[in-house]
């Protein structure tokens, strides 16, 4: 299957509500067969952006093209997009079958083909045998599947999912994540997935877009977002991070990072910023190591099952350190002094990068 | 064996319920007083009417009055007129309610607020005010009648069946409209969005999604309007042009001929459809199972497309303009000598001692009734929602039944019961207050029961855990939380009591006239100027009370 680059193009979209810039100059290109997540805190504009793509909000400025056709002037009913709503929006007075049939009837698909396609869609979401149930007789996960089938049956060019997993319990959420991923692979779907759950976004997406205050903070592969956040907001919003203010200095060819409290050696950089920088260090990248160059005192311990988080005081700086519990026992206690080794290649953010 | 065990466990449950019921003796006593009052002031009068229709007193049981009823085409016409006028009014009200709701639930513009305000305006006026303005415009000497007569020589008159239908549509519109609008408002907007996302045009979405899902609200609205129109007797009296209608005939039989038995028979025919509808609504009308899930970000109803919008706006504007025209005619009628004939400004219609006295009595009586109804509704709501009261389903049914009984029937029942020993309450202000109160307590009850369901019982558990007894918990926790329900009950009872007429008209005596009844008498005598002036003052009073309440709402942050 040949995949089209820049299948869905959003260019310079703006949307104002009164004086709030809900969407402020957003341009994104999404490829065919790609699953892209929009994440961000509430009010960041992610849902507004999704609704603009679906046609439920009209953008104030900007253009949307899908499969080389301009769609931004079309009402929702004429757009080849399919939306799965947060509350699923299943029609309560219709059976599962009728719900899925609804769009096909509007398209005036003949009865035989309708039956065929409904059967196919329901089997894709593994809901064969539920045709005559009413939505109220289904569990949350099943309702979700109906909502997806109702869209899939119309073969939309883009599937829009608005926080689809937020009403499900934790286990079901994991299962549905896999399901959506599977459907995407099997049917080569192009999907936009809105969520506020960063872990969900990292695990399900081909690419992630972090939004804040109506602007794109970063658009990248999940691992890039996590490991090389483009600014402090992304570093803090996605996962946990120690963010250290300081500067890089070179003495005798050895490069070190200096904070007000302590310093540690880092690998040579291709380009050494002269101004102040921030080092982003994920807690799991700091090792408890008897050979470590820095020492600190444990002030607080949070046990998390597979890992333990230690809060370590290093000359007045509060540092998070995650230790994987490979041995099954707590190894350190509060007030213990431990040696730490910092990664040699932390991710640096040059100050003033804040959008 | 097994039936015996269930029987035993049921008895055991009842015993434990009773024990718990008595563990808070004040609440128990209160409940019993309430139950007694509901029986006496709602149930007994209705039964009295039923018994009276069979001539039950010294003569014993007889079917004579039914025979009389069926032997005269005059009464048969009354049934046909009443039913067909009510059905027509209902259909028109529902149609217009949908049209206005469609616009109002999708726009917060000035136009939307204007529609809504105008649509609710009839609430503040007596139900027969539209008859009055229709007569001013289209009566035998009406403003428009005269113009038509002079211009094209067409002679017509609004008196008769169609006059009644138009007046009923205008008068009972707000009740139907409020129900339809709230159903549409509560519908999750994403359902309509989903429909359009799946390719449906707006007409299609309306037909396939919006209307089917509003069905329960529309049915409720229709049934309620039907019951009210059926019980309406003032419009047939004023504008019916002598055509018989059930409620107005019943009134004329009581007042004109003192024939209570025959009036009771008509009352029975009024109450049967109301009762059927009430039972149907209570037990068979299921909610559509719509749940609105909160936290739908950015979801609001899609704006109407141009095609739909222009259609509903045309309908809405014509209708709303008509409502406003009706009010304007009454106001003009109040301030000119004889509207359409001698249009010189005058205040003479306001110089009316009896009118002002009746207004004063109405305000006083309605205020007391509103406080009573709201208080009882609140107490009852709390007790019914939380306490294991034996037979509370029945009591709740009977309380709400009070709302469904046609006013005429209730009025006749009150005359039958309280006219003699041991009560001798006829003609007293007290009886009028009791009548207004118990006909309306259902509203306060429903408001507070639904409010109670929103209040988690852990709130009371926390209060008692912190050492508070049941009465203090009620006073300190429940009463403040129920205050919106109290205010809702108060406002509703006050407004309806101020303009209510069908029941209290039987209970007034010389010296204790009520404004609405007095205006009706003026209108019947075609004293249009005075009737308009009194109506105008009544409307101003009700409107200013509403304004005052809105002000209190703003100041205290209690939502009404």
């Amino acid at each position: 299957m040949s995949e089209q680059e820049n299948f869905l193009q959003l260019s310079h979209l703006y949307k104002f509500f009164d004086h709030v810039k809900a969407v402020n100059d957003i341009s994104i290109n999404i490829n065919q067969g790609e699953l892209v997540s929009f994440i961000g805190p509430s009010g960041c504009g992610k849902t507004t952006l999704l609704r603009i793509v679906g046609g439920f909000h009209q953008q104030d400025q900007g253009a949307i093209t899908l499969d080389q056709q301009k769609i931004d002037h079309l009402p929702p009913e004429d757009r080849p997009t399919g939306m799965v709503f947060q509350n699923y929006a299943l029609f309560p007075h219709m059976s599962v079958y009728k719900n899925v049939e609804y769009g096909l009837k509007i398209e005036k698909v003949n009865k035989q083909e309708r039956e065929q396609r409904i059967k196919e869609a329901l089997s894709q979401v593994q809901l064969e045998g539920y045709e005559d149930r009413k939505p109220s007789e289904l569990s949350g996960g099943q309702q979700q599947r109906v909502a997806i089938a109702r869209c899939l049956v119309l073969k939309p060019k883009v599937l829009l999912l608005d926080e689809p997993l937020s009403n499900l319990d934790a286990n079901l959420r994991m299962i549905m994540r896999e399901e959506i991923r599977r459907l995407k692979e099997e049917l080569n779907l192009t999907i936009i997935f809105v969520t506020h759950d960063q872990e969900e976004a990292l695990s399900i997406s081909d690419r992630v877009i972090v939004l804040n205050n109506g602007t794109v903070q970063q658009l990248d592969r999940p691992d890039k977002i996590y490991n090389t956040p483009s600014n402090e907001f992304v570093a803090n919003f996605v996962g946990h991070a120690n963010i250290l203010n300081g500067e890089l200095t070179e003495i005798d060819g050895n490069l070190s990072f200096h904070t007000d409290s302590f310093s540690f050696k880092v690998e040579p950089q291709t380009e050494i910023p002269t101004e102040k920088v921030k080092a982003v260090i994920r807690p799991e990248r700091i090792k408890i190591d008897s050979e470590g160059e820095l020492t600190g005192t444990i002030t607080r311990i949070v046990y998390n099952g597979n890992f333990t988080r230690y809060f370590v005081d290093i000359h007045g700086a509060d540092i998070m350190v995650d230790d994987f519990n490979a041995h099954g026992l707590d190894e350190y206690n509060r007030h213990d002094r431990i040696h730490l080794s910092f990664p040699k290649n932390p991710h640096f953010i040059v100050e003033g990068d804040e959008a | 064996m097994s039936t015996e065990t269930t029987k035993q466990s049921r008895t055991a449950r009842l015993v434990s319920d009773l024990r718990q019921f008595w563990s808070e003796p004040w609440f128990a006593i209160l409940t019993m007083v309430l139950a007694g009052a509901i029986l006496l002031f709602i149930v007994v009068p209705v039964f009295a009417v039923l018994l009276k229709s069979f001539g039950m007193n010294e003569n014993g049981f007889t079917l004579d009055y039914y025979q009389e009823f069926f032997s005269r085409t005059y009464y048969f016409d009354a049934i046909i007129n009443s039913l067909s006028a009510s059905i027509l009014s209902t259909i028109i009200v529902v149609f217009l309610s949908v049209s206005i709701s469609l616009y109002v639930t999708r726009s917060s513009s000035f136009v939307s607020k204007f529609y809504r305000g105008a649509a609710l305006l009839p609430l503040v006026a007596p139900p027969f005010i539209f008859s009055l303005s229709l007569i001013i415009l289209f009566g035998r000497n009406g403003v428009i009648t005269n113009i038509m007569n002079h211009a094209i020589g067409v002679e017509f008159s609004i008196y008769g069946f169609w006059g009644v239908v138009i007046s009923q549509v205008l008068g009972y519109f707000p009740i139907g409209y409020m129900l339809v609008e709230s159903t549409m408002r509560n519908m999750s907007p994403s359902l309509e969005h989903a429909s359009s996302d799946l390719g449906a045009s707006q007409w299609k979405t309306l037909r396939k999604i919006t209307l089917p899902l509003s069905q329960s609200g529309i049915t409720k609205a229709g049934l309620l309007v039907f019951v009210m129109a059926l019980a309406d007797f003032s419009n047939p009296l004023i504008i019916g042009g002598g055509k018989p209608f059930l409620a107005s005939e019943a009134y004329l039989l009581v007042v004109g001929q003192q024939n209570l038995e025959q009036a009771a028979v008509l009352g029975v025919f009024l109450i049967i459809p109301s009762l059927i509808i009430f039972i149907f609504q209570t037990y068979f009308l299921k909610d559509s199972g719509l749940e609105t899930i909160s936290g739908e970000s950015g979801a609001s109803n899609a704006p109407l497309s141009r095609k739909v919008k222009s259609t509903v706006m045309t309908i809405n504007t014509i209708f709303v303009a008509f409502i406003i025209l009706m009010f304007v005619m009454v106001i003009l009628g109040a301030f000119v000598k004889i509207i359409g004939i001698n249009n010189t400004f005058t205040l003479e219609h306001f110089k009316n001692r009896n009118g002002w006295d009746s207004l004063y009595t109405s305000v006083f009586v309605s205020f007391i009734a509103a406080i009573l109804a709201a208080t009882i509704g609140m107490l009852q709501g709390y007790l019914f929602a939380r306490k294991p009261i034996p037979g509370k389903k029945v009591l709740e049914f009977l309380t709400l039944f009070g709302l469904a009984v046609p006013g005429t029937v209730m009025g006749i029942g009150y005359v039958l019961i309280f006219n003699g020993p041991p009560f001798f309450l006829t003609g007293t202000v007290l009886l009028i207050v009791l009548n207004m109160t118990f006909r309306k307590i259902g509203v306060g009850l429903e408001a507070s029961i639904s409010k109670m369901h929103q209040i988690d019982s852990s709130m009371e558990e926390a209060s008692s855990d912190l050492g508070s007894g049941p009465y203090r918990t009620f006073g300190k926790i429940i009463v403040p939380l129920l205050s919106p329900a109290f205010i809702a009950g108060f406002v509703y009872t006050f407004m309806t009591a101020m303009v209510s007429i069908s029941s209290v008209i039987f209970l007034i005596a010389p010296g204790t006239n009520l404004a609405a009844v007095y205006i009706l008498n003026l209108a019947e005598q075609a004293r249009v100027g005075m009737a308009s002036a009194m109506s105008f003052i009544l409307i101003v009073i009700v409107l200013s009370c509403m304004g005052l309440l809105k002000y209190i709402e703003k100041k205290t942050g209690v939502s009404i």
Side-chain angles (χ1 to χ4, degrees):
Chain A
M1 213 174 286
S2 75
E3 298 199 356
Q4 223 185 93
E5 295 248 315
N6 302 339
F7 185 58
L8 173 66
Q9 293 180 295
L10 315 183
S11 37
H12 301 292
L13 290 176
Y14 289 85
K15 178 75 188 174
F16 303 95
F17 291 118
D18 296 327
H19 296 291
V20 181
K21 291 173 182 165
V23 173
N24 190 7
D25 193 14
I26 288 185
S27 298
I28 299 166
N29 293 328
I30 294 170
N31 303 328
Q32 196 171 16
E34 199 178 21
L35 195 164
V36 175
S37 294
F38 294 175
I39 62 169
S42 45
C44 72
K46 55 187 190 295
T47 296
T48 307
L49 189 58
L50 188 79
R51 297 179 78 86
I52 289 174
V53 177
F56 301 107
H57 289 319
Q58 183 66 38
Q59 72 278 10
D60 295 327
Q61 276 180 52
I64 305 170
T65 54
L66 175 59
D67 197 9
Q68 290 156 342
Q69 275 166 345
K70 220 164 142 344
I71 60 160
D72 50 46
H73 58 292
L74 298 173
E77 58 263 37
D78 297 336
R79 290 193 191 195
T81 55
M83 177 110 161
V84 174
F85 292 83
Q86 189 176 0
N87 64 358
Y88 320 134
L90 298 180
F91 305 132
H93 57 311
M94 298 180 189
S95 65
V96 168
Y97 189 89
K98 294 272 180 202
N99 263 284
V100 181
E101 191 184 32
Y102 188 81
L104 291 173
K105 268 190 156 171
I106 289 162
E107 273 186 14
K108 301 205 162 53
V109 175
N110 70 49
K111 188 158 193 274
Q112 206 177 353
E113 193 188 336
R114 283 208 306 264
E115 273 172 19
Q116 182 56 38
R117 280 169 71 175
I118 294 166
K119 205 173 160 212
E120 193 182 77
L122 287 177
S123 96
Q124 278 160 0
V125 298
Q126 299 173 340
L127 269 186
E128 300 103 324
Y130 287 85
E131 288 81 357
D132 297 329
R133 300 272 190 101
K134 284 278 175 71
S136 56
E137 298 163 347
L138 300 175
S139 69
Q142 290 167 336
Q143 291 184 16
Q144 168 101 76
R145 286 163 199 262
V146 178
I148 294 173
R150 191 171 69 174
C151 288
L152 287 183
V153 80
L154 298 176
K155 306 199 190 313
K157 289 183 176 168
V158 182
L159 198 57
L160 309 173
L161 307 181
D162 184 8
E163 306 216 13
L165 308 183
S166 61
N167 289 326
L168 302 177
D169 66 46
N171 276 332
L172 204 51
R173 210 176 300 162
M174 298 295 255
I175 295 169
M176 285 311 295
R177 239 188 243 178
E178 294 300 311
E179 279 284 309
I180 290 169
R181 203 58 220 183
R182 175 183 66 78
L183 279 169
K184 184 231 149 194
E185 302 294 342
E186 275 179 24
L187 306 172
N188 193 40
L189 300 173
T190 309
I191 299 178
I192 300 180
F193 186 100
V194 166
T195 177
H196 59 262
D197 181 341
Q198 39 98 8
E199 189 204 323
E200 194 169 284
L202 294 180
S203 67
I204 203 172
S205 318
D206 297 314
R207 284 192 297 162
V208 175
I209 296 169
V210 184
L211 294 164
N212 191 32
N213 294 330
T215 57
V216 175
Q217 304 292 310
Q218 191 168 5
L219 193 174
D220 227 323
R221 289 188 345 231
D223 57 325
K224 295 274 192 185
I225 296 266
Y226 187 75
N227 290 315
T228 58
S230 63
N231 59 41
E232 196 174 342
F233 174 81
V234 177
N236 273 321
F237 188 76
V238 181
H240 296 250
N242 295 294
I243 297 176
L244 308 170
N245 292 305
E247 48 198 326
L248 286 162
T249 48
E250 192 175 2
I251 304 161
D252 302 337
N254 287 328
L255 197 62
S256 317
F257 182 74
H258 293 266
T259 73
D260 290 346
S261 319
F262 60 89
S263 61
F264 58 94
K265 288 202 185 78
V266 296
E267 281 174 358
Q269 304 280 308
T270 48
E271 198 184 326
I272 300 168
T274 49
E275 65 270 54
K276 292 204 173 227
V277 293
K278 287 171 197 273
V280 178
I281 304 173
R282 299 290 178 187
E284 70 274 13
R285 297 206 60 205
I286 304 176
K287 294 270 176 284
I288 300 175
D289 175 2
S290 50
E291 309 285 298
E293 56 186 325
L294 290 165
T295 53
T297 310
I298 296 174
T299 57
R300 207 144 58 85
I301 301 174
V302 179
Y303 181 69
N304 282 294
N306 58 342
F307 72 93
T308 303
R309 174 161 297 173
Y310 298 99
F311 291 83
V312 182
D313 180 276
I314 307 177
H315 304 296
D318 194 23
I319 302 293
M320 287 183 280
V321 179
D322 286 354
D323 190 31
F324 193 59
N325 289 327
H327 309 295
L329 286 171
D330 275 359
E331 286 168 76
Y332 305 99
N333 297 312
R334 217 173 142 205
H335 306 308
D336 281 1
R337 274 188 81 73
I338 52 173
H339 293 266
L340 300 172
S341 73
F342 275 56
K344 297 279 180 282
N345 56 345
H347 176 64
F348 293 110
I349 303 170
V350 179
E351 268 193 67
D353 261 9
E354 301 301 294
Chain B
M1 187 68 196
S2 67
T3 51
E4 208 162 288
T5 24
T6 50
K7 209 173 181 184
Q8 261 173 13
S9 70
R10 207 177 290 158
T11 325
R13 174 119 171 265
L14 186 68
V15 169
S16 95
D17 275 1
L18 277 173
R19 193 170 298 148
Q20 218 184 320
F21 179 60
W22 273 113
S23 68
E24 290 155 7
W26 284 112
F27 282 148
I29 290 167
L30 195 64
T31 308
M32 291 192 312
V33 172
L34 274 175
I38 289 163
L39 285 177
L40 181 60
F41 294 109
I42 297 176
V43 181
V44 171
V46 174
F47 269 98
V49 171
L50 188 63
L51 291 180
K52 195 74 177 173
S53 75
F54 293 109
M56 283 292 193
N57 51 22
E58 56 273 16
N59 308 331
F61 178 89
T62 169
L63 284 173
D64 288 357
Y65 300 104
Y66 283 90
Q67 212 167 9
E68 167 77 9
F69 181 82
F70 285 113
S71 65
R72 290 185 51 183
T73 52
Y74 185 72
Y75 290 134
F76 184 73
D77 286 350
I79 289 192
I80 297 297
N81 285 339
S82 281
L83 285 178
S84 43
S86 308
I87 290 168
L88 263 172
S89 309
T90 304
I91 292 170
I92 299 171
V93 166
V94 166
F95 175 78
L96 292 170
S97 299
V98 169
S99 176
I100 293 197
S101 301
L102 273 180
Y103 191 89
V104 168
T105 52
R106 264 151 242 271
S107 159
S108 51
S109 65
F110 171 76
V111 177
S112 162
K113 287 184 184 123
F114 175 71
Y115 282 157
R116 191 164 195 278
L120 295 176
L121 206 53
L123 276 181
V124 302
F128 54 83
I129 192 171
F130 300 104
S131 294
L132 189 63
S133 28
L134 283 175
I135 288 172
I136 294 176
L137 279 174
F138 304 104
R140 288 185 195 99
N141 256 321
V143 178
I144 292 180
T145 322
N146 283 340
I147 294 172
M148 297 280 279
N149 205 353
H150 285 299
I152 46 176
V154 180
E155 250 184 277
F156 72 97
S157 137
I158 195 73
Y159 288 95
F161 182 79
W162 288 102
V164 173
V165 170
I166 298 171
S167 309
Q168 286 180 345
V169 166
L170 293 165
Y172 301 123
F173 178 75
I175 305 290
Y177 164 69
M178 286 192 290
L179 280 168
V180 173
E181 197 221 86
S182 89
T183 319
M184 285 205 184
R185 217 178 265 287
N186 287 336
M187 199 171 83
S188 164
S190 59
L191 291 168
E192 285 186 6
H193 288 316
S195 171
S196 67
D197 187 57
L198 296 168
S201 68
Q202 197 156 34
W203 275 124
K204 186 121 190 159
T205 301
L206 279 182
R207 255 194 13 250
K208 294 275 181 179
I209 308 295
T210 316
L211 288 180
L213 289 178
S214 312
Q215 204 187 17
S216 73
I218 290 175
T219 314
K220 267 186 199 158
L223 293 176
L224 197 60
V225 171
F226 176 80
V227 168
M228 298 192 62
L230 190 68
D232 172 35
F233 88 115
S234 45
N235 288 311
L237 218 53
I238 300 175
I239 207 171
K243 271 188 182 292
F245 286 80
L246 278 178
S248 54
E249 273 327 297
Y251 167 72
L252 292 173
L253 280 167
V254 173
V255 175
Q257 305 173 22
Q258 307 293 323
N259 188 347
L260 281 163
E261 288 81 1
Q262 198 62 55
V265 172
L266 268 64
V268 169
F269 282 95
L270 275 174
I271 206 162
I272 288 171
S274 309
L275 189 62
I276 292 172
I277 286 172
F278 176 64
I279 290 172
F280 172 74
Q281 240 181 359
T282 316
Y283 294 104
F284 299 102
L285 199 63
K286 295 266 183 294
D287 274 334
S288 58
L290 278 184
E291 308 144 56
T292 29
I293 292 167
S294 54
E296 279 179 72
S297 40
S300 55
N301 281 316
L304 293 171
S305 69
R306 191 171 300 162
K307 214 167 100 190
V308 180
K309 192 171 173 173
S310 57
T311 313
V312 301
M313 274 189 88
T314 312
I315 298 169
N316 296 353
T317 309
I318 292 172
F319 178 60
V320 160
F322 196 60
I323 292 181
I324 291 169
L325 175 70
M326 295 288 110
F327 277 88
V328 169
M329 288 327 288
V330 169
I331 295 169
L332 287 180
F335 288 101
V336 300
K337 282 216 157 101
I338 305 169
I339 187 160
I341 292 165
N342 182 353
N343 292 327
T344 41
F345 177 83
T346 177
L347 286 175
E348 72 183 30
H349 302 313
F350 289 90
K351 291 176 190 134
N352 180 349
R353 178 79 219 208
N354 292 338
W356 288 102
D357 282 352
S358 69
L359 276 166
Y360 171 77
T361 315
S362 277
V363 171
F364 174 74
V365 165
S366 307
F367 185 79
I368 306 280
I371 291 206
L372 273 176
T375 310
I376 294 173
M378 187 176 72
L379 276 170
Q380 211 184 346
Y382 169 71
L383 294 172
F384 281 22
R386 288 290 193 268
K387 305 293 169 195
I389 298 167
K392 71 177 167 191
K393 283 267 164 234
V394 179
L395 278 177
E396 189 182 337
F397 177 89
L398 293 175
T399 310
L400 297 178
F401 179 58
L403 289 172
V405 177
T408 316
V409 175
M410 203 61 120
I412 295 172
Y414 269 52
V415 170
L416 292 171
I417 296 294
F418 300 107
N419 208 6
F423 300 107
F424 297 109
L425 284 172
T426 314
T428 61
V429 171
L430 177 64
L431 189 63
I432 296 174
V433 169
L434 287 170
N435 177 283
M436 286 172 166
T437 305
F438 281 90
R439 282 192 65 208
K440 303 297 177 195
I441 50 171
V443 173
L445 175 68
E446 275 199 319
S448 41
I449 285 183
S450 80
K451 192 82 203 164
M452 281 307 297
H453 287 315
Q454 291 165 21
I455 302 172
D456 200 289
S457 55
S458 63
M459 209 88 73
E460 290 143 83
E461 286 159 6
S463 169
S464 66
D465 185 57
L466 296 167
S468 156
Y471 307 122
R472 173 184 270 273
T473 300
F474 177 74
K476 294 278 175 187
I477 309 294
I478 299 299
V479 170
L481 289 173
L482 278 185
S483 57
F486 178 88
I487 294 173
F490 179 89
V491 172
Y492 181 81
T493 313
F494 182 77
M495 279 175 55
T496 50
M498 278 300 286
V499 301
S500 86
I501 185 155
S502 56
S503 204
V504 289
I505 197 166
F506 294 97
L507 307 176
I508 52 157
T512 54
N513 213 344
L514 294 171
V517 178
Y518 183 69
I519 299 168
L520 178 73
N521 292 337
L522 291 172
E524 271 184 289
Q525 298 158 24
R527 293 165 78 178
V528 170
M530 265 192 194
S532 301
M534 286 297 114
S535 300
F536 175 72
I537 301 167
L538 190 61
I539 292 166
V540 169
I541 291 173
V542 177
L543 271 180
S544 13
C545 290
M546 293 306 298
L548 188 68
L549 272 162
K550 278 273 164 215
Y551 177 77
I552 295 171
E553 180 186 15
K554 229 181 221 163
K555 279 270 164 186
T556 59
V558 179
S559 68
I560 295 172

